[in-house]
Amino acid sequence: MPKVRVIKPINCMEAEAEAPKLRVCAYCRVSSDHTGQLQSFSAQVEYYTRLIESNNAWTFAGIYADEVRPD
């Protein structure tokens, strides 16, 4: 008769406590310095900042962004 191996379940809270936090950043950019685009850039920064900071498994490492230059 084959042997049965019992695998102990992992408590989700224990697994989260053991896993190292990931450092996460966001890349935000717009294609021009038009007013609507700049508002979009601000919205991107705000959204991704909140998203990353709300995840307990992540550490917010900042925003990576391209500089918008006038044509």
Side-chain angles (χ1 to χ4, degrees):
M1 177 182 273
K3 291 185 179 183
V4 175
R5 179 176 168 212
V6 177
I7 301 173
K8 181 182 172 187
I10 298 173
N11 181 333
C12 291
M13 297 302 275
E14 289 174 6
E16 282 184 16
E18 294 173 9
K21 286 190 169 191
L22 294 176
R23 289 178 43 87
V24 178
C25 72
Y27 173 62
C28 301
R29 76 177 302 269
V30 293
S31 57
S32 73
D33 64 346
H34 186 268
T35 305
Q37 291 282 303
L38 295 177
Q39 291 171 347
S40 172
F41 178 79
S42 296
Q44 290 176 50
V45 170
E46 183 179 330
Y47 172 79
Y48 286 111
T49 299
R50 274 190 277 123
L51 178 70
I52 295 167
E53 289 180 340
S54 69
N55 189 321
N56 292 330
W58 296 344
T59 298
F60 181 62
I63 299 292
Y64 173 71
D66 285 337
E67 180 180 347
V68 177
R69 296 182 183 184
D71 293 334

